[in-house]
Amino acid sequence: MAGSALASPLSIIRNTAQKQWAETQVLTLSGVARVFNTKRQLLQLLGDFPRAWSLLLEFIENSALSKNNEVSLAALKSFQEILYLQKGCDNNEITHSADSEALWIVAWRVWLNIGTESTTPPQENETEPYVPSQAFLTALVHIFPAVFQHIRKKFTGTDLDKLCVVLKNVVAVPVHGESTPYILPTVPDVVLTHLQDGVLHSMELLQKEALNGPENLRTMIVLIFLQLLSFSKLACEAPTYGRIPTKHISQIRGVSADWVIMNYVPFGEKALSMVVNLYQKTAHEMAVIDGQVLKHIIEALHVPLSMKYACPSSTTWKLAVTSLLAVLHTGLPLARKYPEHFQSMWPELASTLDDFLFPKSVINVERGAEEIQADEAVDCQVMELLRDEVLPHSQYIPHQFILRVVMLLNKGSIHSATTVNIESSGEAKLREEFAKTCFETLLQFSLLDGLNNELEPDSNKTLENDEGGVAGRLAVTALLHRFQEVLRRFIENERRSGKCPLPRYRLSEISFVLKAVATLVISLKKAPPNKVDRSVWEQLIGLYPCLVECTIASASGQVTRSLREALLQYHDLLKPPLNNTPTSTGV
């Protein structure tokens, strides 16, 4: 009992002493920085100014790495103060002429040491891990522009690497639940925190410097892209900070004792927008082409595009697909011009498109008709990009990618009309417009225009593009098989349902297939004879009995109109037998 009775006063004394010492350090830091700043010109006349500068910065560095939040924050405020003149001098602008580059290099090294040491995630075996406060980190990031302005001419690729590590760790630091009410913006879903805003401002400064000359561009631009892309991924998956257990900000109500992960959606989306703007400005630069930046962008976009409806915010995948279309409009002509630099990009693009157009994520929220239509319109835009920017230039694009595109078109033509997403309401939705776009594009390039137009007489290229043509013809054969399955299943289901009408999506499905049959017959009749195998004609004619059966089965006006359109196209296929030699009786 005696021991426990003594423990409380001793701890109070110790805490009071620590607090007093911390207050002393804070006052000392503030006083020294103020004196140093006001007497700077006098100190410079003494001849030992560089040593005084280095000693002061060393003192600031040691204090900034203190585990006491008050002391560390006061150290950064002092750091910031000595980077500026007094308010009465030169409008509080950062000094330029009086201080040599060597002094600012020292300041940069100190900033980097503070940033590296203070933001390194704690080790697993630490019993009381130190986590810097948001106020400290925000002050640290806001100091960087003041230092960078003086060292930018000496800023190397190695410096940029180290800076990116610090910025990456800074944004990953969680916030203590007790602080969240004070540091959160009023609308956390759409607004950046001060820290996140400061980090992106630093990236903007680096961008401007990278665009300032060819040497800077060569050493900095790819690293800047990679860092921004790393930030963009945080919109889909928040970072971890060592082994510290955390909760998302949406799970916290009021003051909490937990460590909290901030909302990274606005931050990641802003970083992605910066990537797109920067790529559109620099895509033609050889440093960007050599650095395979387009491939890296597609890899980063693959994350939200494959998640699609599973993204934390629907705005993320919508921004991602808009960004994909924008960078491809810029990058695809360059990929055709410099094929050797983009070889690894094509497989990644094919996988990304496949995962986006045919997502595995389930739609778990009810969507209105307008939203469904808007999402389908986006899918159509992606296919139209392939139709306009890829297939007409197939001779300049790896044939494996062309085959993947044909497979996507085939998949879209078949599965969009038969495989549907069941939404929370239980209503099945049909991507009819998307299926139509895929189907028409497939016909256009597999039968009419072909994938081997305007080829130079090169045997290897001819062989490769013949494979594309074969793929197109195989896709048409697969479509015909699938159409026959759908027609037969429809006839069977109509017979079994009796007087009960089939669901709307089934009627839309059969209506689409009938329209597709009509379009296919028209296309086959227009195609050059050497592009249509006899087996395709035989398959098409084999559908005729199924179409006749549909006339009996269907009572839907929508289906009947599509059926009439399909049957009328068979007129030209109805011919007398070839061996029509008359007998002696004239019959």
Side-chain angles (χ1 to χ4, degrees):
M1 288 292 291
S4 61
L6 287 171
S8 181
L10 283 173
S11 63
I12 292 171
I13 293 168
R14 184 167 60 251
N15 290 339
T16 304
Q18 287 177 347
K19 188 175 181 181
Q20 288 175 343
W21 174 238
E23 289 173 356
T24 304
Q25 286 180 289
V26 169
L27 292 171
T28 305
L29 281 163
S30 175
V32 170
R34 195 173 297 113
V35 169
F36 192 90
N37 219 17
T38 53
K39 303 296 181 182
R40 181 184 300 239
Q41 291 181 342
L42 180 62
L43 288 169
Q44 286 171 340
L45 295 175
L46 296 177
D48 205 15
F49 182 76
R51 177 166 167 74
W53 176 262
S54 298
L55 286 173
L56 176 59
L57 287 177
E58 184 181 337
F59 177 56
I60 287 174
E61 180 182 337
N62 290 333
S63 301
L65 295 175
S66 166
K67 304 298 183 187
N68 184 291
N69 285 332
E70 292 179 6
V71 173
S72 59
L73 186 57
L76 290 187
K77 288 180 179 177
S78 300
F79 194 178
Q80 196 163 28
E81 188 171 349
I82 67 170
L83 299 180
Y84 293 83
L85 283 172
Q86 278 183 286
K87 289 188 177 181
C89 302
D90 197 22
N91 294 322
N92 198 29
E93 290 293 325
I94 302 170
T95 55
H96 292 281
S97 55
D99 303 320
S100 67
E101 283 185 348
L103 297 179
W104 291 104
I105 292 294
V106 173
W108 160 241
R109 296 292 172 225
V110 168
W111 185 94
L112 192 59
N113 289 342
I114 295 171
T116 304
E117 290 289 329
S118 63
T119 64
T120 301
Q123 299 297 316
E124 190 175 351
N125 55 1
E126 289 186 44
T127 53
E128 293 185 12
Y130 169 71
V131 180
S133 69
Q134 291 287 297
F136 174 86
L137 296 172
T138 304
L140 178 71
V141 170
H142 285 170
I143 289 170
F144 172 73
V147 178
F148 181 71
Q149 183 164 342
H150 295 278
I151 60 152
R152 55 192 180 84
K153 292 181 181 177
K154 297 283 186 180
F155 200 73
T156 65
T158 305
D159 288 329
L160 181 55
D161 262 333
K162 292 175 181 176
L163 171 66
C164 287
V165 171
V166 173
L167 295 180
K168 180 183 174 184
N169 288 338
V170 160
V171 296
V173 175
V175 186
H176 199 269
E178 294 176 354
S179 307
T180 49
Y182 306 103
I183 64 145
L184 272 181
T186 52
V187 190
D189 289 342
V190 293
V191 181
L192 300 171
T193 66
H194 292 305
L195 175 59
Q196 292 171 344
D197 191 49
V199 168
L200 292 181
H201 176 62
S202 297
M203 296 305 297
E204 286 172 351
L205 284 179
L206 294 170
Q207 279 187 45
K208 289 178 184 175
E209 190 60 28
L211 298 174
N212 206 20
E215 184 57 30
N216 288 359
L217 194 78
R218 188 181 64 79
T219 57
M220 296 174 67
I221 196 69
V222 175
L223 286 171
I224 291 171
F225 270 115
L226 293 177
Q227 187 60 50
L228 286 171
L229 289 171
S230 173
F231 288 155
S232 74
K233 293 178 186 177
L234 300 182
C236 295
E237 186 175 357
T240 56
Y241 190 68
R243 297 274 183 161
I244 293 178
T246 55
K247 289 186 177 180
H248 192 268
I249 186 68
S250 60
Q251 300 173 289
I252 302 299
R253 295 288 179 269
V255 177
S256 168
D258 296 302
W259 289 103
V260 180
I261 295 175
M262 304 306 294
N263 181 16
Y264 287 93
V265 171
F267 177 71
E269 291 181 0
K270 176 75 182 294
L272 180 55
S273 297
M274 290 171 66
V275 167
V276 175
N277 292 334
L278 184 60
Y279 185 73
Q280 289 174 328
K281 290 178 185 174
T282 61
H284 61 282
E285 299 286 351
M286 285 311 299
V288 175
I289 294 170
D290 288 336
Q292 299 187 333
V293 168
L294 183 58
K295 177 198 169 188
H296 292 306
I297 293 174
I298 293 169
E299 284 176 340
L301 291 175
H302 195 156
V303 177
L305 292 178
S306 61
M307 290 175 70
K308 202 168 186 177
Y309 300 113
C311 283
S313 170
S314 62
T315 57
T316 303
W317 73 260
K318 290 174 182 177
L319 175 64
V321 71
T322 306
S323 302
L324 179 68
L325 293 171
V327 297
L328 288 179
H329 275 298
T330 304
L332 286 178
L334 292 167
R336 297 195 297 267
K337 187 176 180 181
Y338 303 98
E340 65 280 3
H341 294 279
F342 289 86
Q343 288 178 358
S344 60
M345 180 273 292
W346 297 108
E348 183 61 36
L349 177 58
S351 300
T352 301
L353 293 174
D354 195 353
D355 288 343
F356 172 70
L357 294 170
F358 306 99
K360 298 176 179 66
S361 56
V362 178
I363 305 168
N364 52 15
V365 292
E366 191 169 347
R367 300 180 301 160
E370 288 184 5
E371 192 176 354
I372 293 168
Q373 198 172 359
D375 289 355
E376 185 179 357
V378 171
D379 295 343
C380 290
Q381 285 179 345
V382 174
M383 279 305 183
E384 285 161 5
L385 176 83
L386 294 175
R387 181 191 68 196
D388 300 337
E389 298 287 341
V390 172
L391 293 175
H393 308 282
S394 59
Q395 64 269 35
Y396 305 112
I397 294 171
H399 75 285
Q400 284 296 332
F401 182 75
I402 297 295
L403 293 177
R404 291 286 296 273
V405 171
V406 170
M407 287 168 64
L408 284 177
L409 292 170
N410 185 31
K411 197 172 178 182
S413 301
I414 294 173
H415 293 285
S416 297
T418 55
T419 303
V420 290
N421 290 320
I422 303 296
E423 307 217 358
S424 56
S425 62
E427 177 68 24
K429 307 298 180 184
L430 174 69
R431 290 193 294 177
E432 187 170 350
E433 197 59 37
F434 174 67
K436 181 183 174 188
T437 302
C438 291
F439 183 67
E440 289 177 350
T441 304
L442 181 66
L443 291 182
Q444 179 183 350
F445 287 95
S446 61
L447 294 173
L448 304 182
D449 297 344
L451 295 173
N452 52 356
N453 287 350
E454 303 174 10
L455 280 177
E456 295 178 10
D458 182 327
S459 60
N460 291 331
K461 284 189 177 181
T462 303
L463 178 61
E464 290 180 1
N465 285 276
D466 277 350
E467 289 184 23
V470 168
R473 289 190 287 274
L474 288 175
V476 172
T477 302
L479 280 175
L480 284 166
H481 275 302
R482 189 63 175 160
F483 291 165
Q484 191 168 34
E485 285 179 27
V486 173
L487 289 168
R488 284 176 176 168
R489 193 170 70 242
F490 169 74
I491 294 162
E492 186 64 28
N493 290 347
E494 271 281 7
R495 284 174 180 165
R496 287 181 179 178
S497 64
K499 294 183 179 180
C500 296
L502 291 177
R504 276 183 301 168
Y505 83 90
R506 290 300 309 279
L507 296 176
S508 296
E509 173 190 66
I510 193 65
S511 176
F512 169 81
V513 168
L514 292 169
K515 288 176 184 175
V517 169
T519 306
L520 180 57
V521 177
I522 294 169
S523 301
L524 288 170
K525 288 191 289 191
K526 288 181 181 177
N530 63 332
K531 286 211 169 187
V532 185
D533 290 342
R534 182 178 177 83
S535 61
V536 172
W537 288 117
E538 289 172 351
Q539 270 188 286
L540 192 63
I541 293 167
L543 286 180
Y544 190 76
C546 294
L547 298 176
V548 173
E549 288 282 345
C550 286
T551 60
I552 301 168
S554 176
S556 162
Q558 177 189 11
V559 174
T560 304
R561 285 189 297 273
S562 301
L563 179 59
R564 178 177 179 275
E565 188 182 333
L567 287 170
L568 285 173
Q569 293 305 327
Y570 272 78
H571 171 266
D572 292 331
L573 304 183
L574 300 174
K575 294 181 180 179
L578 294 176
N579 299 324
N580 193 21
T581 308
T583 62
S584 57
T585 59
V587 179

